[in-house]
Structure formats: structure tokens, C-alpha cells
Amino acid sequence: MNSRFLLLALLTLGGFSSLAQTSVKKRPLTPRDIYRLQTISDLQVSPDGKWVAYGLSTVDSTKDKRNTDIWMVSWNGQESVQLTNTPEGESKPRFSPDGKYLSFVSARQGATKGQIWLMDRRGGEARKLTDLKNDLEDYVWSPDGKKIAMVLRDVDYADSAKTKVRKPYVLDRYHFKADVRGYLENSPVHLYVFDVTTKKLDTLTTGIYDETSPVWSPDGSQIAFVSNRTQEPDRNQNTDIYVIDARKGAAFKQLTTWTGSDNSPAWSPDGKTIAYLRSTASGNFLMYDQPVLAVISREGGEPALLSKTLDRPVRNPHWTKDGQAIGVLIQDDRQAYVGQYTVATGKLTKLTSGNRAFSDLEAVSANNWATLMSDPQTPPELYAVENGITRRLTHVHDAFLAPLELAQVEGFTSRSKDGAQVSNILYRPANAPANKKLPTILYIHGGPVSQDEFSFDLTRQLLAAGGYAVVAVNYRGSNGRGIEHTKAIYADWGNKEVLDILGATDYVVEKGIADPERLGIGGWSYGGILTNYTIATDTRFKAAASGAGSSLQLSMYGIDQYTNQYENELGAPWKNTDKWLKLSYPFLKADRIKTPTIFMAGEKDFNVPSAGSEQMFQALRSLGIPTQLIIYPGQFHGITVPSYQKDRADRYLQWFDKYLKPKTT
């Protein structure tokens, strides 16, 4: 191993030990701590199971950006080694099958495209392996280490003019725009095989369809992949599993025929079967769905649906090394746990439990897994799960947490006006008096199909550090409570979710937690949309922060990325105008809103375009309701520039403080 990096790692571990022994005066979390928070991603286990590689993202405050480097931690947790350290950053670490090398993707040396680099995992300089002209979307080593399957996007020649002026976008697709990618012309992604020795690149697939998620068969003869090959893929969410011989000119074979979604293929160690995720529903629109674990023969046929009766979403399927079971992550009522299905019997064994959330999963050996785990007091760290026992591997966040005094977090269940039981999470400020009513903010999650979990939530912790009780509501439409709970809001937005938000509000008021005269509400994306719905329904909220939301839903048709959803769920606007107008009530009844509201959006958001926030800002401004509009330059739906993330947190606190805290003289 590189002795310099190893020495730094050991010194760092020693520093953690010294820090733990030193008494540190605790302080509240502040928006500036955003610059200190690191992020672990993309864990990969070495073939011998002795090391786990991962990406570690840190903030470079001088450049106002995040940079990711590649690290490794030993399976016993005793050694931590930084493998890369460049200003360009690296991603997608992958071990070579013999375990001697680690590959990664980087646009080093002024490259305009990400290339695959290869380095000896024992140390030394990396060497560039590829010189690709296409955008590299994904790659995976063949079992013998001689080839690499790649997913490459067709070259876009629109920017090739010598004047550097892009040619006009020529659009004829049904789905013609998407957040981050922008306007969508016809540039599909295809499969290629790269020979590591000769550097020859062979084309496996061509045409108008996308092919993604390649996985090699254990004998290296075939590649399984995912594709939507319906007549017009933009009009549905169908995908199927295919297999193709790993050679130029080979024909592919379709394995699955479900008209819903089949994805995330994983070969069994003996190569006889493929595990994958299948949607519950078979329609063209699958937002309110949850994936089911399925297994199918490599020859096709009828799949076995292992988690069909679980009624919870499963993800990240991985076979155990002995091929007897499949590990998955399962979301269940504010928790996310590691489960393991025995293939022969279909029996589910729950390997972890408790108020915490697991994400990412990689097999190490029989019944042993590498995973990321977070709880309300700890950002995600790498853990080993050995025969159901968790063991921490990394201590990335020790220095971040050492000076901080965080909120106390607990779950509670509220009852909505129509009798629905709703699962929620409460954040109490550290050292808040037990019997004192607190100014309270309901911070609403987006999605809507997601759930607030017992995991580290920076935004809610920041609001709690500002002296607020903070409530997270898993309103109907969230997942983790069964598919009927998720589907309850189908074509009925702003109704049951608002009942659930108000029911949770009533609960914290009745229990003496919230001061009824100092209530606030906020959220981002669908959380911003629900903020608008709620303040148009109930005037008790004294302040609101609506981020990346919309209200005049009729005006979103054709300017966001959800046309397929709209036409399947609501019907075309010219055919079902009354439905569209009904769902647009926060804007059309804006004169009912009395809540001072700050609106925020990313300038380049194609998910929920800034027009949604601009319209509501203009309405409240015209009505004389205190309001502000914040547009973050160059940002998409997710705000990624660190200084903008800090600015957003600062503005949340300033806005809520202005209206929810008594003025002192």
C-alpha cells in the first residue's frame, strides 16, 4: 500500500482517539457545518473480502464544490487508506477480479470526458486505461478480468461547430426534457465490450433503444442487461431483462415479459438464474408502485416472486457467495433494514432491526454483508453485517459530530380527521425544557413516494438547532406502509396528504409540544407542493418555506418532465380540465393564503421548474402577503453548490425566526 496514505490514515485514526478522550464543549449545529459534512458512496468489496473501497466526498470551500476521492477500509476496520487525491475527483471504484487493481472514473489531465483509470491497490500512480469519445454511463469487469462491459451514450455532434455555438435543439420525442440532462434529442446508450490488453472496443448493441445495467454471467460468456423496447418507450415505464453473448454481432434474448418494470439483474453464482426487481403493477405509469424481488431462469420462463406477500418495497438485490440466498434492503415504517431471502424456501430472515436506516449493500461472504448505516444522530458510515450483528468499519463523521449537540429524535403516530393512522418523526432541540411549548416546523418530505426514516437528516437537525421542534410526516403517498398507503393519493393530490399533515400538527399541539401560535411549515419538491396545498387550506401557520414546488398544475403540462404521469393519472388537460383545475387550488384560491411564505427554486430545474415558485410568489406579492423569491443560479432540482446549500439553510432560519420567534428589545 502507499505508505504515505497509510501513515496519514493511521495518524487520522489516532487523532480520532485523542479527540474522543478530550472534553469538547458541545454547540448547536449551524448552516456553516454544511462545509464540514462528508458523504460516503458506492461501496465495493474486494474479491478476497478483506477490503471495502468507497468514494468520499468533501467540500472544497475555496472552489465552492464537492470533490470525491477513493478510499479503502479493511474488513476488520483497523486500516483506512486514501487511494486518490486530485482536484478533478474520482468516482465508480471497481476492483479487478483478481483483486490486484482498482479502477475508477476521472476526467484527469484536462479531459472533457470521464475515462477509466487503473491503479495498483497497493499504491503507486494510476494509469489511464481508456480514451473514450462518448460519455461513460457505467462499466463492469468481466469475471476473468480481461474485458470490461461499458454503457456509452451516442456522441452528440451538436457542439462540434468551430464557432462553439451549439446547433438548435431539434426535438420530436414525446418525453423531450429531463432535469440535469436538459432537452432530450435522440442519443441512446448502448453496450460495448473493451479488451483491457488490446484496448479494442467492440459494439454489442445499436439502434434507437437504451441498454443499461450490464451484468456478466459467472462464466463470462453472457451479459444480462435492461432495456425498454416497446414501440414508444417514452410513453411507458416498461423495462425487461435481456441476455446477450459477450461478442460482437451476437443476438440478444428477452427473458422477462412483464409489461411493468423489470430491472436490477443479478446473476446467481452458478449462473443458472437471475435475481431482479419487478414492479407490482403492469401499467404504463408506476410512480405509486413498489418493487418485488423476483428470480428467473437464465433461459426465461415464469419468475418466482419471493417478496410478493411482503407488501414493502425491496431494493439492492445481491446473492450470497454460496448462492443459497439473496440479500435486499427493505423499507418498513420509518426503518430500512437488511433482509435475506432463502431461495429454496422463499423465507425472509431479518438481519438488522431498530430505529436506523441501511442503504447500499454488497456481499462479502456467506451471511456477511457490507452496507451503509445511519441513525438520527449519525450520518451514514460503513458497517459490516455478520450473521445479523452490525460492526462499524469507518469513522468518517467522528470529527464532524464531536463538537455538536444534536436534536433528540423519537417516533409518534397521529390520527387524521378521516381516521387514518400516520407515522411521524419528531425532532426536539437539544436540552429543550420538557414542559415548554416550542415553536414548531413541519418539514415535509418530497417524492411523494419516499419515507422519512430514522436516519441522519441535516435539514431537520439544523432547524431543531435553531430552537424549533421539527415534525416529519409520512403522509399517505409515502412508502414503507404498504402499497395501498402509497396509492391512496392517486389523482387526488393535496387532499389526504394535507389531512395527514394537519393531523400530525394537531397531535403535537394537543401533547403540549408545539406552541399553536408559532407554527411553520416547509419542504422541497413535493414537500414544497404540499406546503402550498396546506397553507391554502389552513391559515394557522405563521410562516412557510416552499422549495421547488408548484400550484397551478395545469401550467406544468409540457414544461416539466412528467407528461407520462399526467396523461395516465389525470388525463389530458383538454379532456379532463376540471380535474386539473381542482388540483390547482393553491394558486386559484391564493386569496385564502395568509401565511408569509418564502419561495425557492433552481434556475435550471426541469423537474419542477421555477415557474411553479414564481407564480405563487407573484400571487402573494400581488395580494400583499409577505413573500420572497429566491432563485439559485445554474442549479437543477437538487441544490448542489455548497454555498447555496448554506444560503438555503440560513434563509430557512431567518424566515422562520422572523415570524415564529418573539421579538426582543
Side-chain angles (χ1 to χ4, degrees):
M1 293 176 187
N2 188 305
S3 58
R4 178 168 61 90
F5 283 139
L6 180 57
L7 177 60
L8 285 172
L10 293 175
L11 287 172
T12 302
L13 289 174
F16 288 155
S17 176
S18 299
L19 186 63
Q21 297 172 11
T22 304
S23 177
V24 178
K25 184 179 180 180
K26 301 288 187 177
R27 62 169 177 82
L29 186 70
T30 71
R32 182 161 290 278
D33 287 311
I34 288 171
Y35 293 121
R36 301 173 52 242
L37 184 60
Q38 299 173 293
T39 304
I40 299 175
S41 63
D42 204 358
L43 62 92
Q44 300 288 320
V45 178
S46 63
D48 61 9
K50 294 181 179 180
W51 292 89
V52 182
Y54 58 94
L56 183 63
S57 171
T58 59
V59 174
D60 183 336
S61 57
T62 59
K63 295 182 179 179
D64 202 10
K65 60 180 287 189
R66 283 191 169 271
N67 185 72
T68 301
D69 292 308
I70 308 301
W71 287 68
M72 290 196 312
V73 63
S74 60
W75 184 244
N76 61 15
Q78 297 302 306
E79 295 180 78
S80 184
V81 183
Q82 183 174 1
L83 295 176
T84 67
N85 183 19
T86 68
E88 295 89 354
E90 294 79 28
S91 63
K92 295 183 172 64
R94 302 290 185 267
F95 285 99
S96 62
D98 61 9
K100 294 180 180 179
Y101 299 94
L102 192 75
S103 59
F104 56 84
V105 176
S106 180
R108 292 180 171 186
Q109 301 175 353
T112 58
K113 303 287 185 183
Q115 305 295 336
I116 298 176
W117 292 70
L118 194 64
M119 71 183 305
D120 191 318
R121 63 178 252 196
R122 296 167 298 182
E125 294 299 322
R127 61 183 176 90
K128 189 170 70 168
L129 190 61
T130 63
D131 189 18
L132 302 170
K133 309 302 181 187
N134 312 57
D135 289 327
L136 175 65
E137 305 283 334
D138 194 10
Y139 76 100
V140 58
W141 286 86
S142 65
D144 62 7
K146 295 180 179 180
K147 297 180 180 181
I148 297 175
M150 299 181 183
V151 179
L152 300 177
R153 186 168 296 280
D154 282 357
V155 175
D156 179 5
Y157 293 102
D159 289 319
S160 61
K162 293 181 180 180
T163 62
K164 303 298 183 182
V165 176
R166 195 198 190 282
K167 296 178 181 178
Y169 293 101
V170 179
L171 307 169
D172 59 7
R173 294 180 55 171
Y174 174 81
H175 179 56
F176 68 92
K177 64 194 304 188
D179 196 38
V180 182
R181 284 189 60 196
Y183 289 107
L184 303 178
E185 294 180 296
N186 296 308
S187 55
V189 293
H190 297 304
L191 301 182
Y192 296 78
V193 172
F194 177 82
D195 189 296
V196 175
T197 301
T198 66
K199 297 191 176 182
K200 181 183 178 183
L201 187 66
D202 284 334
T203 303
L204 287 190
T205 62
T206 60
I208 64 173
Y209 300 106
D210 291 330
E211 294 91 23
T212 63
S213 307
V215 188
W216 291 86
S217 61
D219 63 6
S221 65
Q222 291 187 311
I223 295 173
F225 65 92
V226 174
S227 185
N228 180 345
R229 307 187 87 80
T230 58
Q231 184 174 357
E232 191 172 6
D234 285 352
R235 288 184 178 269
N236 61 70
Q237 293 181 269
N238 169 254
T239 51
D240 283 299
I241 310 293
Y242 296 79
V243 292
I244 187 172
D245 288 345
R247 56 180 175 80
K248 186 176 181 178
F252 54 78
K253 176 182 178 180
Q254 182 175 348
L255 294 189
T256 63
T257 57
W258 185 243
T259 55
S261 172
D262 300 304
N263 54 54
S264 304
W267 289 88
S268 61
D270 63 9
K272 294 180 179 180
T273 57
I274 294 175
Y276 65 99
L277 299 179
R278 188 178 106 163
S279 63
T280 302
S282 58
N284 291 332
F285 167 62
L286 302 171
M287 174 177 282
Y288 304 105
D289 199 83
Q290 58 187 20
V292 173
L293 177 63
V295 177
I296 194 170
S297 166
R298 69 180 296 167
E299 302 301 327
E302 190 65 24
L305 305 180
L306 299 187
S307 69
K308 183 177 181 179
T309 61
L310 181 65
D311 196 23
R312 292 292 186 272
V314 301
R315 52 195 172 94
N316 291 62
H318 289 275
W319 290 85
T320 55
K321 294 296 185 180
D322 60 10
Q324 301 300 305
I326 302 168
V328 290
L329 298 175
I330 299 172
Q331 292 179 290
D332 183 16
D333 194 9
R334 296 165 290 182
Q335 299 177 0
Y337 65 86
V338 180
Q340 188 169 295
Y341 275 93
T342 302
V343 177
T345 64
K347 179 184 177 182
L348 170 64
T349 301
K350 191 174 181 180
L351 299 183
T352 64
S353 60
N355 288 340
R356 47 189 179 166
F358 291 82
S359 59
D360 215 337
L361 190 67
E362 290 289 332
V364 179
S365 57
N367 300 317
N368 292 339
W369 302 91
T371 184
L372 290 175
M373 192 273 280
S374 174
D375 62 41
Q377 306 291 326
T378 315
E381 294 275 11
L382 258 169
Y383 277 77
V385 178
E386 299 169 306
N387 297 309
I389 306 299
T390 56
R391 176 171 56 84
R392 187 169 174 176
L393 298 180
T394 60
H395 293 267
V396 167
H397 302 297
D398 284 5
F400 172 79
L401 294 171
L404 301 179
E405 196 167 43
L406 296 175
Q408 305 164 37
V409 181
E410 62 191 80
F412 71 92
T413 301
S414 59
R415 182 183 294 274
S416 301
K417 188 176 181 180
D418 61 358
Q421 299 280 341
V422 178
S423 299
N424 312 287
I425 300 175
L426 172 65
Y427 295 72
R428 295 178 186 263
N431 301 318
N435 299 318
K436 182 181 179 181
K437 295 180 180 180
L438 298 169
T440 299
I441 299 169
L442 285 92
Y443 193 83
I444 311 303
H445 74 71
V449 184
S450 63
Q451 69 165 357
D452 286 316
E453 298 175 335
F454 288 108
S455 59
F456 186 80
D457 189 299
L458 181 62
T459 299
R460 293 187 177 95
Q461 285 283 359
L462 280 167
L463 293 173
Y468 296 96
V470 184
V471 179
V473 183
N474 280 315
Y475 51 84
R476 278 168 284 183
S478 307
N479 61 13
R481 292 279 307 281
I483 198 164
E484 292 305 317
H485 184 83
T486 301
K487 290 166 57 178
I489 66 169
Y490 187 91
D492 189 26
W493 311 340
N495 179 16
K496 295 182 179 70
E497 314 99 298
V498 173
L499 291 178
D500 296 344
I501 291 168
L502 296 180
T505 305
D506 292 339
Y507 178 95
V508 292
V509 169
E510 291 167 3
K511 295 297 181 181
I513 299 166
D515 183 341
E517 300 303 317
R518 293 189 290 164
L519 296 173
I521 187 170
W524 196 266
S525 191
Y526 200 73
I529 293 172
L530 288 182
T531 295
N532 299 345
Y533 276 127
T534 304
I535 61 176
T537 302
D538 195 315
T539 59
R540 72 173 114 171
F541 297 95
K542 300 301 190 294
S546 174
S550 63
S551 291
L552 183 55
Q553 309 305 351
L554 185 62
S555 71
M556 293 292 105
Y557 183 90
I559 72 166
D560 66 16
Q561 61 185 20
Y562 294 108
T563 303
N564 182 58
Q565 174 184 355
Y566 294 150
E567 294 190 358
N568 280 279
E569 186 176 358
L570 306 181
W574 49 90
K575 291 183 178 180
N576 207 8
T577 309
D578 288 346
K579 168 64 72 174
W580 284 80
L581 294 176
K582 179 182 178 181
L583 299 183
S584 300
Y585 74 77
F587 180 83
L588 298 178
K589 298 180 180 179
D591 54 348
R592 295 182 178 181
I593 298 174
K594 307 303 178 186
T595 304
T597 305
I598 185 171
F599 296 96
M600 301 178 176
E603 180 188 25
K604 294 185 176 181
D605 188 347
F606 274 7
N607 186 318
V608 185
S610 60
S613 296
E614 293 165 359
Q615 290 164 351
M616 286 302 292
F617 163 75
Q618 186 64 69
L620 295 198
R621 186 68 180 81
S622 296
L623 289 165
I625 303 299
T627 187
Q628 277 188 356
L629 175 65
I630 312 299
I631 302 294
Y632 289 104
Q635 296 298 281
F636 303 111
H637 192 60
I639 304 301
T640 57
V641 173
S643 66
Y644 292 162
Q645 294 174 337
K646 176 184 177 295
D647 179 89
R648 178 173 57 180
D650 281 330
R651 292 184 189 278
Y652 280 159
L653 290 168
Q654 292 163 7
W655 191 261
F656 287 122
D657 285 354
K658 181 176 181 179
Y659 294 101
L660 301 186
K661 289 187 176 179
K663 296 178 175 61
T664 57
T665 57

